[in-house]
């Protein structure tokens, strides 16, 4: 999908919320938090044209699974061009992630990435999405979200014990990168299971 087509989707659909896909510098910075050496189940909210999706697939093990949930039908069509058995694309809203994972028999996941514009989402629905997100992550799992402002820090702190935020200026527009983690499982061999 060209930048112009992406821009057209932005004009027609306010939920797209960004004029261009994320920059590769930002994709790499967000994905630094993922341990690609192991088999992961990764969920993506709002993959858009798949800039994160492709990077994750390129770096993931053969045994990993990626479940991408996208609301915009044009993006879903475009994502369908990615031929990879590890990828499952759903034309749906992030708030239905629980039902989607049920279909796979998946109770918990390692990482959830999100580019959906939480600032456009009403408080009740935002809390609902963040609550289910936190409950679906394994102990020590991470929710990695990118937003144009710092508005998500407090809502995240209601649902996650560990929340941090950094700025990434190598993107149009610059972004706030959030990392929200669930508590790591207690160590059984002296080494806590993190990342
Ligand atoms: C800012 S764009 C990010 C696109 C892509 N991840 C990137 O980094 O270039 C936000 C994306 O979230 C999608 N979106 C918005 N609300 C959503 C929701 N409730 N559930 C799933 N996708 C949603 C939009 O259609 C759009 O593709």
């Amino acid at each position: 999908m060209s930048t112009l087509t992406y821009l057209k989707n932005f004009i027609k659909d306010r939920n797209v919320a960004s004029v261009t896909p994320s920059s590769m510098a930002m994709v790499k910075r967000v994905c630094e938090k993922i341990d690609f050496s192991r088999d992961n189940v990764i969920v993506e909210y709002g993959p858009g044209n798949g800039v994160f999706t492709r990077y994750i697939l390129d770096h993931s093990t053969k045994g990993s699974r990626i479940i991408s949930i996208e609301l915009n039908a044009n993006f879903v069509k475009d994502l369908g061009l990615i031929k990879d058995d590890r990828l499952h694309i759903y034309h749906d809203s992030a708030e239905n992630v629980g039902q989607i994972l049920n279909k796979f028999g998946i109770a918990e996941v390692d990482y959830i990435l999100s580019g959906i514009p939480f600032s456009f989402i009403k408080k009740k629905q935002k809390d609902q999405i963040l609550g289910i997100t936190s409950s679906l992550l394994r102990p020590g799992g991470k929710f990695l979200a990118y937003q144009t402002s710092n508005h998500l820090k407090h809502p995240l702190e209601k649902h996650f014990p560990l929340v941090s935020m950094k700025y990434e200026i190598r993107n149009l527009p610059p972004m706030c990168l959030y990392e929200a983690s669930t508590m790591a499982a207690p160590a059984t061999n002296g080494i806590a299971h993190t990342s």
Side-chain angles (χ1 to χ4, degrees), residues 123-165:
K123 190 179 173 301
K124 193 174 164 202
Q125 193 189 0
K126 182 161 40 192
D127 269 336
Q128 195 186 334
I129 297 175
L130 296 178
I132 180 97
T133 298
S134 166
S135 72
L136 287 170
L137 283 166
R138 67 157 165 83
K142 289 182 196 300
F143 178 50
L144 304 169
Y146 41 100
Q147 299 283 293
T148 50
S149 80
N150 62 2
H151 69 94
L152 201 59
K153 189 144 192 290
H154 291 307
L156 280 171
E157 282 166 348
K158 282 205 274 173
H159 298 277
F160 292 87
L162 304 165
V163 178
S164 64
M165 195 199 80

Side-chain angles (χ1 to χ4, degrees), residues 6-43:
Y6 193 100
L7 184 64
K8 282 183 188 160
N9 280 308
F10 165 74
I11 293 163
K12 284 192 202 147
D13 178 357
R14 77 189 282 268
N15 288 316
V16 172
S18 176
V19 287
T20 59
S22 295
S23 69
M24 195 42 68
M26 192 180 100
V27 171
K28 284 183 182 165
R29 186 134 181 246
V30 172
C31 292
E32 269 171 13
K33 303 289 174 187
I34 300 175
D35 177 1
F36 285 114
S37 67
R38 39 178 292 205
D39 289 347
N40 289 310
V41 178
I42 301 177
V43 172

Side-chain angles (χ1 to χ4, degrees), residues 6 13-23 26-27 44-53 69-73 75 90 92-95 114-117 121 125 129 146-148 171 175:
Y6 193 100
D13 178 357
R14 77 189 282 268
N15 288 316
V16 172
S18 176
V19 287
T20 59
S22 295
S23 69
M26 192 180 100
V27 171
E44 196 186 6
Y45 301 158
N49 72 350
V51 61
F52 275 93
T53 321
I69 307 169
E70 172 56 57
L71 205 51
N72 180 291
F75 286 142
Y90 276 84
D92 208 328
S93 177
E95 68 206 77
S114 176
I116 67 173
I121 299 176
Q125 193 189 0
I129 297 175
Y146 41 100
Q147 299 283 293
T148 50
N171 193 70
M175 286 278 170

Side-chain angles (χ1 to χ4, degrees), residues 42-83:
I42 301 177
V43 172
E44 196 186 6
Y45 301 158
N49 72 350
V51 61
F52 275 93
T53 321
R54 288 183 175 83
Y55 185 91
I56 292 167
L57 286 168
D58 284 350
H59 289 80
S60 288
T61 58
K62 282 190 182 143
S64 293
R65 279 191 283 181
I66 293 97
I67 294 142
S68 297
I69 307 169
E70 172 56 57
L71 205 51
N72 180 291
N74 292 331
F75 286 142
V76 171
K77 207 169 145 206
D78 222 51
L79 290 162
L81 299 174
I82 307 175
K83 300 295 173 208

